[in-house]
Amino acid sequence: ILNVEQSPQSLHVQEGDSTNFTCSFPSSNFYALHWYRWETAKSPEALFVMTLNGDEKKKGRISATLNTKEGYSYLYIKGSQPEDSATYLCACDNYGQNFVFGPGTRLSVLP
Amino acid sequence: NAGVTQTPKFQVLKTGQSMTLQCAQDMNHNSMYWYRQDPGMGLRLIYYSASEGTTDKGEVPNGYNVSRLNKREFSLRLESAAPSQTSVYFCASSRPGQDSNQPQHFGDGTRLSIL
């Protein structure tokens, strides 16, 4: 079983602040890394799929980077807004067979 | 497109009762998954089905059975419910493959309470 870790567990930021959090995963046998955004009472929504070392993806104010050699990915949010409040999950794709999810980082953006 | 549809959305059971959670997807995905979500533990994989006719155990399969009825449907059965199975259950589907790197698409979840 892969071990996927995320830090911090939770985070409170003020509206307008930029923030980032980390996903760590085993660097051996890497296939793909997925980021999801999960709002309370809803289902997780895919943000990014990343496969190549050095990959950088961006969607609006949210971006992510990937380092497969050292086994980590960062998710950045620029100018946080209250609607960014959610749990952000990363998942390591085990050769396209199944995903192992991290425990998530719960972000609260205070107005 | 409905995406991934789970039924029921809520259910309360007594210890020892059985029930089946239903999941259907209309995206022609090959792979389907059942997860449970518990506070502080993220999503844990119960069972998955990489293709029609196959099922495999995930991280926490004990106390559950699954059936991949056809390409669209993947059900999760609790034969004798226990309070430890109180959780929110999510079904997901994807079209994996070495060249696709597709994300998983999730249903809205089933909130299950075992008394």
Side-chain angles (χ1 to χ4, degrees):
Chain A
I1 301 286
L2 298 175
N3 187 31
V4 179
E5 298 177 346
Q6 291 187 246
S7 62
Q9 186 176 23
S10 64
L11 192 56
H12 297 260
V13 301
Q14 289 293 135
E15 182 176 356
D17 286 350
S18 295
T19 186
N20 65 85
F21 21 93
T22 307
C23 173
S24 303
F25 52 86
S27 56
S28 59
N29 297 323
F30 175 82
Y31 182 64
L33 192 284
H34 298 246
W35 280 102
Y36 289 83
R37 180 172 178 274
W38 191 5
E39 289 183 72
T40 302
K42 295 187 178 180
S43 54
E45 290 181 40
L47 284 173
F48 306 115
V49 181
M50 310 178 79
T51 57
L52 300 175
N53 186 46
D55 250 358
E56 183 168 345
K57 297 282 179 84
K58 188 174 181 181
K59 184 183 289 188
R61 293 179 292 99
I62 304 177
S63 61
T65 60
L66 179 67
N67 184 322
T68 61
K69 295 186 188 305
E70 295 182 41
Y72 65 84
S73 175
Y74 292 139
L75 189 80
Y76 300 90
I77 302 178
K78 185 177 178 182
S80 303
Q81 300 297 308
E83 58 264 31
D84 295 327
S85 297
T87 296
Y88 291 83
L89 295 172
C90 69
C92 202
D93 188 334
N94 183 19
Y95 281 105
Q97 294 299 310
N98 62 73
F99 287 20
V100 176
F101 281 86
T105 292
R106 183 186 297 271
L107 174 66
S108 297
V109 181
L110 308 173
Chain B
N1 263 353
V4 179
T5 303
Q6 288 183 237
T7 55
K9 294 192 184 306
F10 303 94
Q11 185 70 48
V12 178
L13 294 177
K14 294 182 180 178
T15 297
Q17 285 186 315
S18 62
M19 83 160 293
T20 299
L21 308 186
Q22 306 287 352
C23 176
Q25 52 91 10
D26 61 4
M27 295 173 282
N28 201 34
H29 285 168
N30 291 323
S31 294
M32 296 185 75
Y33 312 82
W34 275 106
Y35 295 92
R36 59 179 288 172
Q37 187 257 323
D38 301 293
M41 303 192 76
L43 290 166
R44 291 186 293 168
L45 183 66
I46 305 171
Y47 271 93
Y48 67 99
S49 170
S51 61
E52 186 179 353
T54 69
T55 61
D56 286 284
K57 294 179 180 179
E59 184 184 353
V60 288
N62 290 345
Y64 305 95
N65 285 301
V66 290
S67 295
R68 184 73 184 267
L69 303 169
N70 47 56
K71 192 171 186 178
R72 289 188 65 247
E73 297 173 288
F74 188 38
S75 63
L76 178 73
R77 183 159 177 85
L78 287 70
E79 290 290 353
S80 179
S84 61
Q85 293 177 304
T86 294
S87 188
V88 182
Y89 292 85
F90 285 93
C91 176
S93 71
S94 70
R95 188 180 64 213
Q98 194 152 359
D99 298 322
S100 62
N101 295 323
Q102 297 294 312
Q104 292 187 0
H105 297 260
F106 287 82
D108 289 337
T110 295
R111 189 173 296 274
L112 183 61
S113 295
I114 317 293
L115 305 178

